[in-house]
Amino acid sequence: MNDGSLEFCLPSDDAALLARVRGIAPAIRAGSSRGRARCDVPAETLYFFPTGDAECTARHGALEDAAWDQVCRIAALPEVREIVPTWYE
């Protein structure tokens, strides 16, 4: 369950790492806050991995295998401390 995405932080000044992550998951988008992932702004940038119809079996459902693969590949990067669900309050 989440509100449409998962969150993680990446170092703000590492263009090569960002390109690598976008190669894994092209649909990620940047945010401007600390988010639930508690990014250390400005040293880190918040990113959202979408969990919509293309990535999940149903609204608020399980991730499809391809999306799980992307999330696991991102999670395996040493620069990614954690991946957390997005909750809008």
Side-chain angles (χ1 to χ4, degrees):
M1 299 285 293
N2 61 70
D3 282 344
S5 62
L6 302 173
E7 303 178 11
F8 59 95
C9 308
L10 293 176
S12 296
D13 60 352
D14 194 335
L17 176 61
L18 178 56
R20 185 172 172 198
V21 173
R22 286 198 187 279
I24 294 169
I28 65 167
R29 60 182 173 79
S32 60
S33 69
R34 293 173 39 92
R36 293 261 179 216
R38 301 180 312 255
C39 298
D40 181 16
V41 177
E44 296 178 316
T45 301
L46 175 66
Y47 286 91
F48 298 94
F49 178 93
T51 55
D53 293 342
E55 295 81 20
C56 296
T57 59
R59 180 171 166 79
H60 299 299
L63 286 173
E64 297 281 0
D65 289 344
W68 265 122
D69 179 64
Q70 292 175 331
V71 171
C72 289
R73 290 173 58 199
I74 293 169
L77 297 170
E79 297 87 354
V80 177
R81 290 188 311 274
E82 67 180 332
I83 298 177
V84 300
T86 300
W87 295 110
Y88 295 111
E89 297 174 349

